[in-house]
Amino acid sequence: MSILDGDGDGCDQPKAQKEEPQQEEWPYLDVHRHLRYWKMCIRAPLPHVYLSNESNRLALAYFIVNSITLLTPPPSERTAETPEPLISREDKKLMRKWVLHHQHPTGGFCGTSSLVFPLKDYDTFNFETKTSDEPEHAGLANISSTLFGLQLLALLADEEDEAAAEKVFEGVNRTGTLRWLKSLQREDGSFGEALSDLPGHGRFIAGGYDMRYCYIATAIRWILRGDVKEGEPGWVEDFDTEKLAKHTTEDSPVTPKTKPTQATPTAPSQLSPFSTVLSLPPLLPPHPPPSPSPSPSPSAPQKPSLLHSSIRDLPGLIHWLSSRPFVYLEPPPPPSDSDSYIYQEDDLDDPNFLLPPTPSDLLCLLSETTTKDGQPKQAHVAFNGRTNKVADTCYFWWVGGALANLGHLDSLVDKEPARRFLLEKMQHRIGGFGKSPGSPPDLYHSFFGLAVLGLLGDERERGKVREFDAGLAVPRATVGVIEMARGRLVELEREGGRGGKGEKQLDAVELGLELRGGERERPKWLGECGY
Amino acid sequence: MPPKSKAATKPKATEPAPATTNPTTTTTTNTSQTASSQEPSEPTTVLERSQQRYEKTRPFEAARRQHGLSKLSKEDQKGWICDQLLHLTNRLPAASRARLLSPKASKEIWWTINGTNSIVRGLKQQPKAHTTWGTDRNGHDVGSYSIERFDERIKKRAALTALQVSSRVFRENVEREKRGFVDARSGQEIIVTEREIDEEKVRRSKMTALKKELYGEITGKLASSVDWEDVVPTPHEEPEGALAAIAYPAEYAEAMSYLRAVMSKKEYSPRCLRLTEHIIGMNAAHYTVWLYRAANIFALGLSIPDEIEWLNEVALANLKNYQIWHHRHLLVEHYHPTIASDAEALAHFAKQERDFLIAILSEDTKNYHVWSYRSWLVGKLEMWEDSEELKSIETLIDEDVRNNSAWSHRFFLVFSNPKYATPGKGATERDDKVTQELVDREVQYAQTKVYLAPQNQSPWNYMRGVLVKGGRQLASVQEFVEEFVVKLGEGDDQEEVRSTHALDFLAEIYAEKGESEKADLCLRRLAEKWDRIRRGYWEWRRKCLTQGSSEKVVEESEKAEEVTVV
């Protein structure tokens, strides 16, 4: 009998569960504990160890709110026994206000409220050039924070009021943000994270060459741009999508990339230059869907053909992604018993990545049918982020999400042993998931653990975790909210209504056009100004 | 001390009797007995002392509190009422007072008061625990202090006030100096001397210590520093509904409030540089702070090598930090043009950088940030031909043959050298300019490393990459690969696979040669036995074997179509 079961036929489903659903067979997702963990994260200040994320608090907020949303059944599925949602409708309102407070006056979001300056400090900001002649402001809005901010606004939609969903982006400076986004694109098509004024270097696009910024740029574009045609009110000059596509699909000799903090699997991070590909194209279509549809639909795989065809070496990429899972072996006890000790000495530096010298050794270890305490032994499959690296919760998500976007998750990942590893080795007693076996939970890994469960859509987790969208890294239902909200935002701008002020401005513009002779073509620059 | 009651405005009021005077007269012996029947013991706390003082000036009130109004004699009751009225009306302005009490009633009250010889200016406020003196830094009521301890405290408060006054004078002088203010008496411009600054520094530290001792108030390092005298910090106010608040120390909050202030003014100065260091010491992952630091260094024209030296320490203390490497990148970009024409300086700098990279990689051999910086640096400083670079990579691979980062760097170093590599070629693209000797050398290198640990994927991937680069058939290494696969498909007990990567490689070789059945056997055995956790993948590869070529055609046509769409 194969101990590496879990091919999806369900033969290893815990029998107890079928007879008595209340008593689940271990391992299972302990929703109660996870909720308790997240409750702690939302009610009390985060401990001091999170200080290094102080500049990126919107990211932390995104992990928290997204996780709670994943674990909160939608109103239609709630019963009398369902506990009160951790975030009340009233809280959501306040939180949305807090998120919007991070918006920079000229577009984009700052990563932390400590970088939101009192309004008077923006007085010298040049709204035409989007730079400040005087104060140092350019670096305050940040590309990843902007995506997190937009995602948060949608995640915090009041689900009990459907009409409210389409209003979640009200207050978002759509044209400003899209223009600012364009200014973050470098000559080679890539994106930086922020603008900065460096004496002697002028205005400068800060942030390394990081493929995640490229993904984020396309995601923001997808969320905000809509189908406004050139010349129509609300039209904003686009960034160079062609250049971006070229940059992402062509190997560049050096693509330094930061450790992933962005939630969506874009490029599998840290590929070897000789392992076929360096980067993936943005997983969102360069053009948003023609018309925002109110039905919640998966956003990413809308144009799989484009995705597939732009990857230079798809088989190589899939090979690389498929090489990430490995059989997780418990770190051995100290080598007192030298006969059965088959690891090389330096293996012990990486107790979470033990590689038996030959495949036969591995088979031999796996063929032991019971563990020391007499339990039937079942394989655990962990994921790493690079060749010969250790197991890490988040790489189950990164690899799983990338494969899901390629449409290969179900066929290529042996879900059962991977799920078992996640729930048995990474799930922590106090709730949440740790980075590696035995480590305490943190926001980042706790969220990604839930996200990948939502992605797998395992029927045991169904009802516990919402279905998750690998393209936008939010629950499926939230993708629908984003689409509706974008529609509304675009509609508002089409009507020329950027608040009351905007209406007046438009009237003046229309009046001017009338005076100029209404039949004549609208000047192009008007569109560039957002009319 | 409890505030004394305002002097009664009654013009005709008798002069207040001293507190020590017996409040009662012979005519009110009853009261005298009640009020002074228990001679108060020596007070032990400030509260007690004030309580006693209060009672001494308000004998009727004290008696009532002790015995209850109904237990008092008629005389004392009358006295108490008059006393209450007197104190009540004393708080009112004269006009209201006249409205409240008729002249006749007023007269009667005064007659009674005079009759009892009571103290007209009795203490108004009864001392209360906590509220009267407040709490000390430990949250204890200052009223519960012993008299001696309280006197000590009063002295310290006086000292603090004196220091504050001197400090204010100093600050005013600093302001006057800036404005070029001329002292009217001496007729000279005001100059703040070094000695005065030193004195102020001493004063500040004394003030900080006293404030901490008296009130538990911690004045931040910056607020008490003379350097930051002229900066009004912009404190951070969190709006309602905040998420992900972090419990950070007051010191961090203070530093950020100063950062906000100087960033707003776009100030570039040594103190700003120190401020960034202060913040980085607490949080090394704040991208804005790093950018601001870089801006300061460039604006002030500071030495880049000095900054790099400082940065080395920070990097070693924060191995997983990315911002440090971005900062280093900016520094080198800025510094490079100044030494680009000097080959010797360039070589020296390259060596220094490599020495540091070797040191930090020995702490964390697979650190992604360090490796990406290193490959960038090789291009920037043109270290391709530098034999030390290749040697140091070989050392790392010798130390750990599974260090994939080192393998990646080697590939980059060998095959991206602009001396012979075709510019613009992708990493995995065939490059005809690469010599066959080089390909031989690298294939050979990978193979010796495969022997060390056949199940290590790194040299397998490397070898494959080299062959593609050199435009060679994978089949050119078939013999080598077959060494690791014995009697495939000849029964479970016969078949031996020493590396699943060899079997994978072999499948590719067979596919390349068009031997689909053999390739299929390799993939099948991987799925069935040797690498079951990837069963889905191996099955997918088997499917691709049969329809691979047709799929490619579809993909190609899609690509052509998309180019026009994008």
Side-chain angles (χ1 to χ4, degrees):
Chain A
M1 195 199 100
S2 165
I3 40 161
L4 287 169
D5 44 23
D7 47 1
D9 59 9
C11 67
D12 60 329
Q13 291 254 331
K15 285 194 182 88
Q17 195 210 0
K18 279 172 190 162
E19 289 153 20
E20 211 179 321
Q22 269 80 22
Q23 291 209 334
E24 290 174 278
E25 192 177 304
W26 184 253
Y28 56 88
L29 180 74
D30 194 337
V31 173
H32 178 68
R33 286 186 191 207
H34 282 270
L35 277 174
R36 210 164 51 188
Y37 173 76
W38 291 111
K39 188 176 175 180
M40 196 167 68
C41 297
I42 203 165
R43 298 277 156 87
L46 300 170
H48 182 238
V49 288
Y50 285 97
L51 182 59
S52 61
N53 299 94
E54 202 276 318
S55 59
N56 219 353
R57 270 178 62 196
L58 279 188
L60 301 181
Y62 162 85
F63 295 145
I64 296 172
V65 174
N66 214 346
S67 300
I68 291 173
T69 311
L70 271 167
L71 293 172
T72 309
S76 59
E77 288 172 27
R78 275 174 216 159
T79 62
E81 284 104 70
T82 315
E84 274 294 297
L86 270 187
I87 308 177
S88 71
R89 299 174 68 182
E90 220 29 60
D91 289 344
K92 280 186 176 180
K93 254 188 218 161
L94 285 175
M95 286 171 184
R96 282 175 30 73
K97 231 175 128 184
W98 176 77
V99 173
L100 267 179
H101 152 89
H102 290 76
Q103 194 173 214
H104 193 274
T106 55
F109 285 68
C110 305
T112 169
S113 49
S114 68
L115 286 179
V116 177
F117 284 15
L119 260 182
K120 63 173 169 49
D121 283 352
Y122 292 112
D123 284 355
T124 49
F125 200 89
N126 186 333
F127 282 77
E128 278 301 308
T129 60
K130 296 172 295 294
T131 54
S132 52
D133 305 324
E134 264 295 303
E136 169 81 8
H137 286 312
L140 296 180
N142 175 291
I143 194 167
S144 56
S145 307
T146 303
L147 179 57
F148 287 131
L150 294 171
Q151 285 167 321
L152 272 168
L153 289 175
L155 285 165
L156 289 166
D158 184 352
E159 291 187 308
E160 278 159 56
D161 177 8
E162 278 185 26
E166 64 167 26
K167 292 184 185 165
V168 294
F169 287 156
E170 273 182 15
V172 171
N173 181 351
R174 176 180 163 273
T175 39
T177 300
L178 287 170
R179 265 189 224 142
W180 166 78
L181 185 66
K182 182 176 157 57
S183 69
L184 286 175
Q185 190 172 30
R186 299 193 187 94
E187 263 307 296
D188 63 1
S190 70
F191 277 81
E193 66 169 330
L195 293 176
S196 185
D197 296 325
L198 277 186
H201 299 263
R203 201 182 72 179
F204 154 83
I205 299 169
Y209 282 81
D210 189 327
M211 206 50 78
R212 290 170 307 159
Y213 299 147
C214 297
Y215 157 73
I216 294 168
T218 58
I220 295 171
R221 180 177 179 275
W222 188 86
I223 290 174
L224 288 181
R225 193 159 174 80
D227 59 343
V228 184
K229 304 272 177 315
E230 188 166 353
E232 284 180 354
W235 188 81
V236 191
E237 207 187 331
D238 202 0
F239 62 68
D240 195 331
T241 49
E242 206 171 316
K243 260 191 186 171
L244 174 65
K246 207 162 167 257
H247 169 76
T248 45
T249 51
E250 277 181 15
D251 288 350
S252 42
V254 190
T255 44
K257 191 178 311 122
T258 64
K259 204 166 165 32
T261 52
Q262 171 59 33
T264 301
T266 53
S269 67
Q270 306 151 349
L271 285 174
S272 317
F274 50 81
S275 309
T276 63
V277 273
L278 259 174
S279 50
L280 256 182
L283 292 169
L284 295 162
H287 290 282
S291 150
S293 88
S295 66
S297 60
S299 63
Q302 274 166 2
K303 274 195 180 177
S305 63
L306 172 68
L307 186 63
H308 286 199
S309 61
S310 21
I311 297 170
R312 189 180 282 201
D313 181 4
L314 186 62
L317 172 62
I318 291 176
H319 182 265
W320 188 86
L321 287 168
S322 298
S323 299
R324 301 286 52 82
F326 65 94
V327 176
Y328 175 78
L329 299 169
E330 287 293 336
S336 53
D337 176 12
S338 56
D339 289 347
S340 64
Y341 189 71
I342 55 167
Y343 302 105
Q344 294 161 3
E345 245 177 47
D346 60 345
D347 289 337
L348 294 177
D349 289 343
D350 286 339
N352 294 327
F353 182 72
L354 297 174
L355 187 65
T358 70
S360 302
D361 292 329
L362 179 64
L363 289 180
C364 186
L365 279 173
L366 288 174
S367 64
E368 293 165 12
T369 47
T370 53
T371 58
K372 277 175 219 91
D373 48 347
Q375 295 296 310
K377 191 167 177 177
Q378 287 175 310
H380 293 93
V381 167
F383 286 76
N384 60 15
R386 280 182 275 164
T387 307
N388 294 334
K389 287 277 284 178
V390 298
D392 185 330
T393 298
C394 68
Y395 284 110
F396 188 7
W397 156 257
W398 292 103
V399 174
L403 282 172
N405 283 332
L406 292 167
H408 282 291
L409 177 66
D410 291 329
S411 54
L412 298 191
V413 170
D414 200 354
K415 293 178 185 175
E416 190 49 35
R419 179 185 171 275
R420 189 181 300 131
F421 172 76
L422 178 69
L423 294 174
E424 228 177 271
K425 304 288 177 190
M426 302 299 213
Q427 198 170 205
H428 200 273
R429 212 155 21 87
I430 65 165
F433 295 99
K435 175 183 168 66
S436 46
S439 60
D442 60 77
L443 297 181
Y444 178 85
H445 292 94
S446 298
F447 162 63
F448 285 126
L450 294 176
V452 76
L453 288 174
L455 196 66
L456 292 180
D458 187 290
E459 66 180 58
R460 276 159 297 179
E461 267 82 50
R462 207 160 287 160
K464 287 183 179 178
V465 185
R466 291 197 193 190
E467 276 185 76
F468 204 68
D469 184 86
L472 278 183
V474 287
R476 285 254 159 99
T478 308
V479 178
V481 172
I482 290 175
E483 287 181 311
M484 281 198 285
R486 174 184 54 210
R488 161 111 179 160
L489 201 58
V490 168
E491 204 179 299
L492 279 178
E493 296 209 5
R494 274 221 183 93
E495 289 163 9
R498 284 190 300 178
K501 235 190 323 176
E503 262 161 38
K504 259 186 210 143
Q505 280 171 2
L506 189 80
D507 288 344
V509 169
E510 296 297 347
L511 194 68
L513 286 173
E514 279 298 314
L515 287 171
R516 193 170 171 263
E519 298 304 309
R520 286 172 67 184
E521 211 184 298
R522 289 172 74 94
K524 203 178 160 196
W525 57 264
L526 257 184
E528 284 166 20
C529 297
Y531 297 106
Chain B
M1 289 274 287
K4 285 194 172 166
S5 65
K6 286 263 162 69
T9 45
K10 287 269 179 194
K12 53 204 171 192
T14 51
E15 279 306 303
T20 46
T21 314
N22 192 333
T24 51
T25 62
T26 44
T27 54
T28 55
T29 42
N30 195 8
T31 317
S32 162
Q33 273 166 13
T34 337
S36 58
S37 56
Q38 297 138 349
E39 192 55 46
S41 53
E42 196 62 29
T44 55
T45 67
V46 190
L47 179 63
E48 257 179 54
R49 184 173 69 180
S50 293
Q51 187 70 37
Q52 287 178 10
R53 283 175 179 168
Y54 173 79
E55 284 172 359
K56 274 185 178 167
T57 63
R58 306 282 298 269
F60 296 110
E61 170 66 6
R64 183 200 63 86
R65 276 166 50 81
Q66 204 176 344
H67 307 287
L69 191 59
S70 56
K71 295 266 170 63
L72 298 185
S73 66
K74 272 262 151 54
E75 281 300 304
D76 283 357
Q77 282 180 356
K78 198 175 172 189
W80 180 80
I81 291 167
C82 290
D83 184 61
Q84 287 297 104
L85 279 168
L86 189 68
H87 282 99
L88 188 75
T89 52
N90 266 354
R91 283 181 211 160
L92 302 171
S96 324
R97 207 156 46 212
R99 243 179 284 130
L100 195 70
L101 293 173
S102 65
K104 195 186 162 206
S106 230
K107 217 169 166 182
E108 197 170 332
I109 288 171
W110 281 109
W111 187 81
T112 313
I113 293 289
N114 285 334
T116 57
N117 201 11
S118 177
I119 302 163
V120 177
R121 294 187 181 177
L123 291 175
K124 200 191 284 173
Q125 276 181 8
Q126 180 169 3
K128 287 194 185 99
H130 295 285
T131 47
T132 304
W133 295 275
T135 50
D136 66 8
R137 63 172 171 158
N138 297 321
H140 297 147
D141 177 21
V142 174
S144 68
Y145 276 29
S146 69
I147 310 292
E148 296 76 34
R149 198 171 159 209
F150 182 75
D151 289 346
E152 274 300 301
R153 189 179 167 87
I154 291 297
K155 271 185 206 154
K156 279 177 187 157
R157 278 180 56 171
L160 178 61
T161 308
L163 286 167
Q164 280 169 332
V165 170
S166 312
S167 180
R168 185 176 295 173
V169 170
F170 170 82
R171 268 178 285 170
E172 269 167 20
N173 278 343
V174 172
E175 273 304 303
R176 284 176 180 158
E177 185 189 25
K178 265 190 208 157
R179 293 199 309 261
F181 188 87
V182 178
D183 188 358
R185 271 175 300 180
S186 63
Q188 285 182 343
E189 276 193 21
I190 288 186
I191 292 163
V192 178
T193 63
E194 280 297 315
R195 218 188 89 217
E196 283 171 322
I197 293 174
D198 289 343
E199 280 170 3
E200 175 67 11
K201 279 181 186 167
V202 174
R203 212 176 285 137
R204 293 273 170 103
S205 65
K206 276 186 189 163
M207 277 158 60
T208 306
L210 279 170
K211 274 189 198 162
K212 194 175 167 192
E213 197 186 333
L214 289 167
Y215 310 111
E217 190 179 295
I218 296 168
T219 313
K221 217 165 115 186
L222 301 170
S224 60
S225 158
V226 183
D227 287 351
W228 292 96
E229 192 61 66
D230 56 319
V231 177
V232 180
T234 316
H236 167 220
E237 274 161 42
E238 186 92 274
E240 251 188 311
L243 283 158
I246 300 163
Y248 50 67
E251 209 183 354
Y252 183 77
E254 190 206 26
M256 286 305 289
S257 68
Y258 277 87
L259 179 82
R260 283 149 61 87
V262 285
M263 270 177 66
S264 287
K265 294 203 178 97
K266 212 169 183 173
E267 175 182 322
Y268 302 128
S269 64
R271 71 174 176 188
C272 291
L273 200 68
R274 285 197 297 277
L275 179 64
T276 60
E277 183 175 351
H278 179 53
I279 296 175
I280 287 164
M282 293 184 275
N283 174 12
H286 203 304
Y287 73 96
T288 314
V289 178
W290 281 105
L291 285 174
Y292 187 55
R293 184 173 177 89
N296 269 280
I297 288 166
F298 298 158
L300 299 172
L302 299 179
S303 149
I304 301 298
D306 284 358
E307 175 69 4
I308 287 181
E309 209 182 312
W310 172 81
L311 195 62
N312 288 351
E313 293 302 309
V314 182
L316 283 166
N318 297 279
L319 285 176
K320 297 293 178 197
N321 178 291
Y322 162 69
Q323 279 76 16
I324 290 171
W325 295 95
H326 186 46
H327 186 62
R328 200 178 188 99
H329 183 118
L330 290 182
L331 294 175
V332 175
E333 285 281 17
H334 184 77
Y335 184 53
H336 183 256
T338 64
I339 55 165
S341 53
D342 183 348
E344 203 176 306
L346 212 56
H348 177 71
F349 183 63
K351 186 187 177 306
Q352 259 186 344
E353 284 296 279
R354 179 164 48 242
D355 287 349
F356 172 68
L357 292 176
I358 290 171
I360 196 163
L361 284 173
S362 70
E363 301 275 320
D364 186 5
T365 54
K366 297 172 184 176
N367 190 308
Y368 187 76
H369 311 314
V370 182
W371 281 109
S372 28
Y373 173 77
R374 188 168 189 165
S375 56
W376 172 80
L377 195 74
V378 165
K380 186 84 199 167
L381 304 183
E382 294 175 31
M383 293 154 78
W384 309 99
E385 301 289 301
D386 192 333
S387 61
E388 286 299 313
E389 187 65 15
L390 194 64
K391 226 163 93 188
S392 94
I393 298 305
E394 279 180 10
T395 310
L396 280 170
I397 294 178
D398 289 344
E399 280 167 8
D400 176 11
V401 74
R402 292 204 267 141
N403 186 341
N404 199 64
S405 308
W407 280 100
S408 300
H409 193 71
R410 182 182 175 98
F411 193 88
F412 171 72
L413 205 57
V414 173
F415 293 107
S416 299
N417 187 341
K419 267 233 165 131
Y420 46 81
T422 312
K425 279 276 178 211
T428 53
E429 265 183 301
R430 175 181 173 158
D431 187 350
D432 292 331
K433 286 197 177 164
V434 169
T435 63
Q436 291 307 306
E437 292 78 50
L438 200 64
V439 176
D440 284 339
R441 186 188 86 182
E442 293 305 304
V443 168
Q444 186 65 35
Y445 182 78
Q447 290 184 353
T448 57
K449 301 301 174 191
V450 167
Y451 284 126
L452 294 177
Q455 194 50 23
N456 171 18
Q457 198 178 12
S458 298
W460 288 105
N461 283 345
Y462 191 85
M463 183 164 72
R464 194 184 178 285
V466 174
L467 293 172
V468 172
K469 200 71 170 164
R472 284 198 196 167
Q473 298 280 302
L474 298 183
S476 62
V477 293
Q478 184 170 350
E479 249 175 69
F480 169 78
V481 180
E482 278 172 345
E483 284 179 45
F484 300 89
V485 181
V486 180
K487 294 187 177 166
L488 191 73
E490 292 179 28
D492 255 6
D493 44 349
Q494 297 281 310
E495 183 178 283
E496 181 56 43
V497 171
R498 284 168 59 210
S499 169
T500 58
H501 309 303
L503 200 48
D504 178 7
F505 209 111
L506 207 53
E508 279 203 271
I509 290 174
Y510 288 138
E512 182 188 81
K513 291 164 81 176
E515 298 175 36
S516 293
E517 270 177 42
K518 281 186 173 177
D520 190 68
L521 176 67
C522 295
L523 297 171
R524 192 158 54 83
R525 291 307 288 155
L526 280 164
E528 286 172 353
K529 179 175 180 180
W530 296 105
D531 195 25
R532 284 196 296 246
I533 63 161
R534 265 172 280 279
R535 188 161 52 188
Y537 173 67
W538 301 123
E539 292 298 338
W540 179 75
R541 283 269 296 273
R542 289 180 72 192
K543 255 185 245 160
C544 291
L545 270 183
T546 50
Q547 35 177 275
S549 53
S550 61
E551 221 179 54
K552 239 176 203 156
V553 174
V554 174
E555 274 180 28
E556 286 300 325
S557 65
E558 272 177 355
K559 200 170 200 166
E561 198 180 304
E562 289 298 337
V563 169
T564 53
V565 172
V566 169

